[in-house]
């Protein structure tokens, strides 16, 4: 047993409650708004819409559910094509399969690690030439940083394809001063347990098209026609967020700005301590935006460092510290074997390299400075071992 094992576990990103969440939950209990919907759902929607600056928001049971219904609204159906960022969590792409459609994956560009406009342009040009333009493009804002929305939107508008923004990781980040998640036809946020704010589980769909949100609200509550009896003309889903969880969300929203500041500070600390080590590079913050630094991510070049990212992850685990590789790209997943893929350059895939060399370090806003020192010390030990010090 190593010394590290006697210390408490340090998580990658764990829930961090503020002071008012329990008061809102208590209110839900006292008013017996435990179910079904209730005033906290509306309150949470209103407050989030105001925070990011959109006309409407719809609280759902997960970010995945939000992506599913947004794609359905965009008329994605069997055998259609949907373009999707390859470097993401599988939840972005799964709803494409729920609808029987086919994903085509688009690589990242090195400046933001997000969808490469160059690769998207090649993919759209090719799709147009074969008469198979996608029904939607899903752009992911990775680890809290916005993609280059102006470039991506310009291409989508040129080919008249709607853009869906998966901002599950980027709530509170900005692109050219405007809130991440508000650029596409729809934006999606997640309040899963490891996200920058959490309701234990939940999601939000936002848009300026409130008619579209009304339609999706109808689908999300079992598609009940307006009739006294239970009458249904369309297939529905049970995807709404509960009033109790929305109560937690209202409390969490109050501390979002503090959570962002804390995560950015954690990133800056890692950056200061490791930036001069040859072979270490950090996820860049592109000049067009401000990241919420949901996760601090960096790459380790094994040729320069003498260790791989994977070995560092194992070493941190020995010290009871959770770290993770960068997402395994969707085009490399067995689930998506055979799907088309457009790399950044014809013969150069950026996401493959990020996956093989990337590591996400503990980034929770509740990480103490001694936790942070423990992570840094353990990682330094691994890097020194690598160069044989
Ligand atoms: C977390 C996450 C989701 C899914 O959100 P859930 O609320 O867990 O369904 C989707 N996309 C990305 C990029 C995520 O990180």
């Amino acid at each position: 047993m190593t010394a590290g094992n006697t210390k408490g576990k340090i998580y990658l990103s764990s829930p961090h409650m503020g002071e008012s969440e329990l008061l809102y939950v208590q209110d839900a209990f006292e008013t017996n708004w435990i179910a079904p919907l209730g005033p906290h759902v509306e309150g949470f929607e209103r407050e989030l819409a105001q925070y990011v600056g959109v006309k409407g928001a719809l609280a759902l049971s997960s970010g995945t559910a939000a992506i599913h219904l947004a794609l359905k609204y965009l008329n994605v159906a069997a055998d259609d094509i949907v373009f999707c960022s390859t470097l993401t969590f599988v939840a972005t792409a799964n709803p494409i399969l729920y609808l029987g459609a086919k994903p085509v994956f688009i690589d990242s560009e090195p400046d933001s690690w997000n969808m490469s406009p160059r690769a998207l342009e090649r993919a759209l040009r090719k799709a147009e030439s074969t008469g198979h333009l996608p029904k939607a493009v899903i752009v992911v804002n990775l680890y809290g940083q916005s993609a280059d929305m102006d470039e991506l939107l310009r291409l989508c508008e040129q080919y008249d394809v709607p853009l869906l923004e998966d901002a599950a990781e980027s709530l509170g980040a900005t692109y050219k001063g405007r809130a991440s998640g508000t650029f596409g036809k729809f934006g999606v946020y997640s309040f899963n347990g490891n996200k920058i704010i959490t309701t234990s589980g939940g999601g939000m769909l936002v848009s300026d098209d409130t008619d579209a949100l009304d339609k999706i609200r109808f689908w999300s509550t079992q598609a009940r026609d307006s009739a006294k009896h239970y009458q249904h003309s369309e297939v529905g889903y049970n995807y709404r967020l509960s009033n109790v969880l929305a109560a937690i969300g209202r409390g969490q929203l109050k501390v979002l700005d503090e959570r962002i500041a804390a995560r950015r500070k954690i990133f800056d600390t890692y950056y200061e301590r490791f930036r001069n080590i040859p072979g270490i590079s950090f996820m860049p913050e592109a000049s067009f935006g401000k990241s919420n630094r949901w996760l601090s991510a960096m790459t380790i070049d094994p040729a320069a460092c003498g260790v791989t990212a994977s070995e560092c992850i194992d070493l941190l685990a020995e010290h009871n510290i959770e770290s993770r590789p960068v997402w395994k790209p969707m085009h490399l997943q067995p689930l998506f074997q055979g799907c088309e893929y457009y790399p950044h350059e014809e013969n150069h895939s950026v996401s493959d390299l990020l996956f093989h060399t990337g590591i996400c370090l503990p980034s929770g806003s509740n990480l103490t400075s001694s936790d942070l020192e423990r992570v840094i010390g353990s990682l330094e030990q691994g890097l020194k071992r690598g160069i044989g010090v």
Side-chain angles (χ1 to χ4, degrees):
M1 186 174 177
T2 62
N5 272 341
T6 59
K7 296 186 182 149
K9 176 151 182 165
I10 295 178
Y11 292 94
L12 188 70
S13 176
S14 67
H16 185 187
M17 292 296 117
E19 283 168 5
S20 54
E21 289 80 347
L22 205 50
L23 297 175
Y24 281 113
V25 172
Q26 207 158 7
D27 174 79
F29 273 66
E30 280 163 8
T31 54
N32 202 33
W33 278 114
I34 305 301
L37 287 161
H40 288 308
V41 175
E42 273 165 40
F44 188 32
E45 288 174 345
R46 192 176 55 244
E47 286 154 10
L48 185 123
Q50 198 169 12
Y51 181 90
V52 298
V54 287
K55 293 212 177 96
L58 176 64
L60 296 170
S61 53
S62 70
T64 312
I67 296 170
H68 183 187
L69 293 188
L71 288 178
K72 178 180 159 76
Y73 184 86
L74 296 172
N75 289 315
V76 173
D79 301 324
D80 283 337
I81 287 166
V82 175
F83 285 5
C84 181
S85 299
T86 194
L87 191 57
T88 186
F89 178 51
V90 71
T92 310
N94 270 336
I96 302 170
L97 299 187
Y98 300 168
L99 292 160
K102 276 186 267 183
V104 169
F105 295 109
I106 313 292
D107 198 11
S108 300
E109 44 96 4
D111 291 344
S112 68
W113 296 14
N114 283 313
M115 188 181 280
S116 157
R118 222 182 286 178
L120 177 64
E121 184 164 30
R122 283 208 320 281
L124 284 168
R125 207 183 309 132
K126 175 79 184 305
E128 188 183 47
S129 74
T130 57
H132 290 98
L133 277 170
K135 281 281 183 70
V137 176
I138 311 177
V139 175
V140 175
N141 300 313
L142 195 74
Y143 299 142
Q145 164 155 266
S146 176
D148 190 357
M149 297 312 301
D150 281 352
E151 283 302 299
L152 298 171
L153 274 170
R154 184 181 59 76
L155 288 165
C156 286
E157 277 159 19
Q158 187 184 333
Y159 289 87
D160 201 21
V161 180
L163 189 153
L164 167 59
E165 218 183 334
D166 180 349
E169 301 175 1
S170 67
L171 178 60
T174 56
Y175 175 79
K176 299 186 179 173
R178 187 168 133 197
S180 178
T182 65
F183 290 84
K185 166 79 184 171
F186 294 105
V188 169
Y189 300 109
S190 166
F191 312 109
N192 189 26
N194 63 0
K195 297 301 197 298
I196 194 155
I197 60 169
T198 180
T199 59
S200 78
M204 193 80 80
L205 184 66
V206 299
S207 182
D208 281 331
D209 185 344
T210 52
D211 290 341
L213 292 178
D214 285 344
K215 181 71 187 189
I216 296 171
R217 182 177 292 110
F218 164 77
W219 287 334
S220 73
T221 47
Q222 306 287 22
R224 287 174 62 172
D225 295 342
S226 53
K228 211 177 306 152
H229 46 278
Y230 287 89
Q231 177 170 300
H232 307 274
S233 321
E234 288 185 62
V235 65
Y237 300 81
N238 183 6
Y239 273 180
R240 210 64 162 107
L241 188 69
S242 90
N243 198 53
V244 177
L245 300 191
I248 302 174
R250 292 182 85 177
Q252 284 273 276
L253 203 51
K254 285 191 193 302
V255 292
L256 174 57
D257 289 340
E258 287 169 46
R259 300 298 181 256
I260 295 167
R263 291 199 188 236
R264 285 186 62 88
K265 195 159 164 240
I266 288 166
F267 178 91
D268 290 345
T269 307
Y270 287 131
Y271 181 77
E272 282 309 316
R273 297 290 285 272
F274 292 110
R275 72 194 176 112
N276 289 325
I277 298 180
I280 300 276
S281 302
F282 281 84
M283 179 179 186
E285 185 167 47
S287 57
F288 49 61
K290 184 175 173 190
S291 173
N292 69 19
R293 292 293 189 195
W294 172 54
L295 292 186
S296 291
M298 65 184 204
T299 56
I300 298 174
D301 174 4
C305 295
V307 282
T308 63
S310 174
E311 285 163 348
C312 287
I313 290 167
D314 292 344
L315 179 103
L316 289 172
E318 279 171 33
H319 290 254
N320 214 11
I321 296 166
E322 183 187 25
S323 63
R324 288 288 167 89
V326 161
W327 299 124
K328 179 171 184 171
M330 294 302 113
H331 72 275
L332 299 178
Q333 298 286 353
L335 176 64
F336 297 113
Q337 215 169 13
C339 288
E340 239 183 304
Y341 171 57
Y342 286 86
H344 181 57
E345 318 265 8
E346 294 282 1
N347 294 310
H348 175 57
S349 171
V350 171
S351 58
D352 280 65
L353 189 65
L354 292 174
F355 168 57
H356 289 296
T357 59
I359 176 171
C360 297
L361 297 170
S363 308
S365 47
N366 48 5
L367 213 63
T368 63
S369 45
S370 67
D371 287 342
L372 197 53
E373 281 309 312
R374 225 177 97 198
V375 178
I376 290 168
S378 305
L379 196 55
E380 274 170 350
Q381 201 183 313
L383 292 168
K384 275 182 192 147
R385 211 186 283 172
I387 54 170
V389 175

